[in-house]
């Protein structure tokens, strides 16, 4: 099955409570929609700061969530001086925190490297015999080709795409909306 | 067959002629040996500059070569504003140039992204039925696993290792001397 690639630059999700601590506002404002239904890039950006360095202009993705989380690449982690685990979104146990700095103040937020994952809707997952967290393989036919493992992420609503971070995208010479081929086993 | 990984940060090779244009010296001085026999990291570093940005402290690898060449990652290429081809070392046709700036002046040098390659000695290549430029596959059992394609690079003398750039290393969570598994077909 062929699906498009969505490349995730570093970004973060915030609870409303954390947002209000660092912005003089109670609401995110939409910059633009992203492919996943209901999600958007906000106009609001922050600076993230680790023991070794900082990165400015990191975008918040809205809407607010029940957890705050910064998602970076391994390259970013060396620049910041942190050692984040590779995790599914929201799985933050044992993840170290990083300073997230807004115009009004700063909060400490867990930082992860997102695992490689394919968004798929519950209806399509059911029809294909796929469960959340199932492993799949992704064949990349770029100038630097290969096969990588990823995980299905099943949501009620979803735009079907492979989410990779910038390290993966650059290692495989992939751009937004490039096409990759996925294969997987159906659950009995 | 299991072999170690050697991670290549951005670096460059220079002809003696180009070196003398940008340094007040006729000779490189050794900082430290690298794994490949006869090659070394020099004390001398340069700044590289593209249309969009520059990167300081880029190390020269010695000894001098018959061609000058800058090797960067895709991530670097975005920061510099260049679009280098993926190439074997020394294969510089159609590669755009970038400014290489030393204490005495600057020269324009072709820039490439090195292909993924495995160094192997001629004797071992012969005994394994391998020719220069043969394709192999590399299985990476890291936290972000996968299989990538690479090329054999046969030299009279060689330390057997897989050379990857920093994008590949970071995408696959690999560090210097991590072990990967290679497989390949023997030539008849």
């Amino acid at each position: 099955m062929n699906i498009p690639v969505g490349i995730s630059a570093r970004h973060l999700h915030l609870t409303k409570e954390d947002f209000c601590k660092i912005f003089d506002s109670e609401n995110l404002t939409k910059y633009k929609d992203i492919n996943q239904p209901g999600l958007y890039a906000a106009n609001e950006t922050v600076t993230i700061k680790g023991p070794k360095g900082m990165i400015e202009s990191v975008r918040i993705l809205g809407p607010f969530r029940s957890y705050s989380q910064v998602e970076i690449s391994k390259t970013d982690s060396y620049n910041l001086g942190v050692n984040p685990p590779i995790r599914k979104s929201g799985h933050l146990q044992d993840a170290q925190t990083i300073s997230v700095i807004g115009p009004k103040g700063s909060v400490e937020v867990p930082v992860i490297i997102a695992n490689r994952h394919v968004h798929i809707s519950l209806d399509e997952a059911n029809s294909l015999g796929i469960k959340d967290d199932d492993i799949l393989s992704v064949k990349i036919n770029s100038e630097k080709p290969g096969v990588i493992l990823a995980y299905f992420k099943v949501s009620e609503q979803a735009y079907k795409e492979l989410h990779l971070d910038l390290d993966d995208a650059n290692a495989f010479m992939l751009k937004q909306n490039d096409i990759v081929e996925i294969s997987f086993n159906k659950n009995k």
Side-chain angles (χ1 to χ4, degrees), chain A:
Chain A
M1 178 186 291
N2 289 333
I3 66 168
V5 175
I7 299 168
S8 298
R10 65 184 78 95
H11 65 275
L12 71 161
H13 305 280
L14 288 176
T15 63
K16 181 165 186 172
E17 186 185 355
D18 278 343
F19 179 78
C20 290
K21 287 179 187 163
I22 62 171
F23 282 87
D24 245 333
S25 159
E26 293 201 341
N27 286 299
L28 287 164
T29 60
K30 188 186 289 188
Y31 168 57
K32 63 177 181 182
D33 287 317
I34 63 172
N35 282 338
Q36 294 309 313
L39 300 198
Y40 58 89
N43 288 304
E44 291 79 10
T45 64
V46 301
T47 294
I48 58 176
K49 186 178 178 190
K52 202 177 141 197
M54 62 171 67
I55 301 175
E56 298 178 338
S57 304
V58 180
R59 200 167 290 280
I60 303 171
L61 294 195
F64 293 129
R65 291 202 176 176
S66 60
Y67 55 88
S68 294
Q69 161 183 298
V70 179
E71 296 178 44
I72 63 173
S73 68
K74 189 68 183 166
T75 298
D76 292 336
S77 80
Y78 288 124
N79 295 331
L80 294 166
V82 291
N83 186 23
I86 298 163
R87 290 286 171 76
K88 181 181 184 179
S89 185
H91 289 234
L92 305 174
Q93 65 282 9
D94 306 323
Q96 72 182 104
T97 62
I98 197 171
S99 298
V100 170
I101 305 164
K104 195 174 108 180
S106 76
V107 287
E108 291 293 307
V109 173
V111 59
I112 64 167
I113 296 173
N115 66 7
R116 297 160 171 166
H117 59 273
V118 170
H119 286 274
I120 191 164
S121 71
L122 183 57
D123 280 354
E124 186 164 5
N126 285 339
S127 76
L128 293 170
I130 291 165
K131 292 196 317 297
D132 195 39
D133 295 332
D134 277 359
I135 286 186
L136 67 148
S137 77
V138 180
K139 189 173 180 185
I140 301 168
N141 286 313
S142 67
E143 276 191 276
K144 288 174 70 187
V147 175
I148 55 177
L149 295 187
Y151 297 85
F152 279 113
K153 185 168 179 175
V154 179
S155 319
E156 193 69 40
Q157 304 285 324
Y159 175 81
K160 190 167 57 186
E161 63 182 356
L162 169 68
H163 273 196
L164 297 180
D165 67 23
L166 262 181
D167 285 342
D168 281 327
N170 289 343
F172 283 99
M173 309 289 284
L174 288 169
K175 292 193 177 134
Q176 186 74 15
N177 295 320
D178 279 354
I179 299 298
V180 294
E181 186 186 338
I182 65 171
S183 54
F184 48 90
N185 295 319
K186 295 186 180 200
N187 291 294
K188 303 282 165 66

